[in-house]
Amino acid sequence: MKLTIVTCSLLASASAHTIFTQLHVNGVAQGQTKGIRVPTYDGPNPLRTPLPKDIINVKAGDKLTAEWHHTLDSKPETDKADPIDPGHLGPVMVYLAKVDNALTTAVAGLKWFKIYEDGMDANGEWAVTRLYNKKGLVDFVLPSCIPSGQYLLRAEIIALHGAGNYPGAQLYMECAQINVTGGGNASPATVSFPGAYKGTDPGIKFQMYWPKPTSYTIPGPRPFTCSAKLK
Ligand SMILES: *[C@@H]1O[C@H](CO)[C@@H](O)[C@H](O)[C@H]1NC(C)=O
């Protein structure tokens, strides 16, 4: 069986229950949906809104924060499923793909490298629980050595509550359009979607309830780090 993952242009799962709605740069919120390719709503078969015209300027090495919400309008104060249904446990990941123009609609065949991942810790607590407790915010650092230029930044959550059988994992993702300055000359190894995940991956077909898992292998490659390239 083939695992269908569409990047940036369509939702991968039949029903999204959380949306990456906003990027923060060094703690400064850039504006709701600014430069983010968001769906029109969080239910099945959403249409994409017209592509955003903004490209968010960032510097290599910046601290970025992805902010998720249940819907474009929901708030944790009034919606218990905001930023996500707390039972939709699983990992959080961030990938980058270098593009000539971050406004591109040609997202098939892009070469992606992971820059962040968080799965299940030694106490059995999931990345999604941490995201939920932080009202949808996840911090990560843009590697300082990646080349300057335009990128799509793909923030992704996999909900594993139905992943005991394949296909059951629900993948949620959106992309931000960014312009990186002050970068270096690293050339991270890349993967493609579809391709990087398989239905048989231990992090895609995964039973999370009983027996209680003691570890979880996050799908895809390990994140690129600048220090790794010196080895
Ligand atoms: C990216 O940043 C550089 C440096 O500030 C700037 O010259 C360029 O116009 C920016 N590109 C876009 C698409 O914003």
Side-chain angles (χ1 to χ4, degrees), residues 55-58 100-103 149-150 178-182:
I55 298 175
I56 301 169
N57 285 302
V58 296
D100 292 335
N101 180 347
L103 304 180
Q150 298 178 46
I178 65 171
N179 180 36
V180 177
T181 56

Side-chain angles (χ1 to χ4, degrees), residues 5-83:
I5 299 175
V6 205
T7 50
C8 296
S9 56
L10 289 167
L11 287 183
S13 63
S15 56
H17 297 115
T18 189
I19 303 170
F20 164 39
T21 60
Q22 178 161 215
L23 190 69
H24 302 235
V25 180
N26 296 322
V28 179
Q30 299 297 298
Q32 170 86 337
T33 75
K34 184 183 167 187
I36 314 275
R37 301 181 178 194
V38 291
T40 46
Y41 82 122
D42 83 325
N45 305 317
L47 301 170
R48 286 280 152 174
T49 49
L51 280 190
K53 294 192 173 46
D54 292 301
I55 298 175
I56 301 169
N57 285 302
V58 296
K59 291 190 301 300
D62 275 352
K63 187 188 108 178
L64 303 183
T65 306
E67 178 172 349
W68 273 270
H69 285 288
H70 181 200
T71 68
L72 291 178
D73 306 319
S74 59
K75 295 183 170 51
E77 294 74 27
T78 48
D79 178 359
K80 285 281 174 258
D82 185 272

Side-chain angles (χ1 to χ4, degrees), residues 103-221:
L103 304 180
T104 186
T105 55
V107 296
L110 290 180
K111 302 292 184 199
W112 297 90
F113 59 98
K114 191 187 271 179
I115 60 166
Y116 174 82
E117 66 183 11
D118 186 21
M120 188 186 80
D121 69 16
N123 299 320
E125 186 184 85
W126 287 93
V128 161
T129 302
R130 290 185 272 280
L131 175 156
Y132 186 87
N133 291 340
K134 289 189 71 187
K135 301 188 190 309
L137 302 180
V138 173
D139 298 331
F140 53 95
V141 173
L142 198 59
S144 57
C145 60
I146 60 170
S148 297
Q150 298 178 46
Y151 289 82
L152 293 178
L153 180 154
R154 160 184 146 130
E156 174 179 338
I157 292 175
I158 303 181
L160 296 167
H161 54 287
N165 292 302
Y166 177 83
Q170 297 178 4
L171 293 86
Y172 313 132
M173 67 199 70
E174 278 78 34
C175 290
Q177 305 171 165
I178 65 171
N179 180 36
V180 177
T181 56
N185 58 8
S187 52
T190 58
V191 296
S192 299
F193 293 97
Y197 305 162
K198 294 188 194 64
T200 51
D201 283 356
I204 296 289
K205 184 176 184 297
F206 183 79
Q207 84 69 29
M208 67 187 315
Y209 299 111
W210 190 262
K212 196 169 162 42
T214 53
S215 67
Y216 173 73
T217 305
I218 301 171

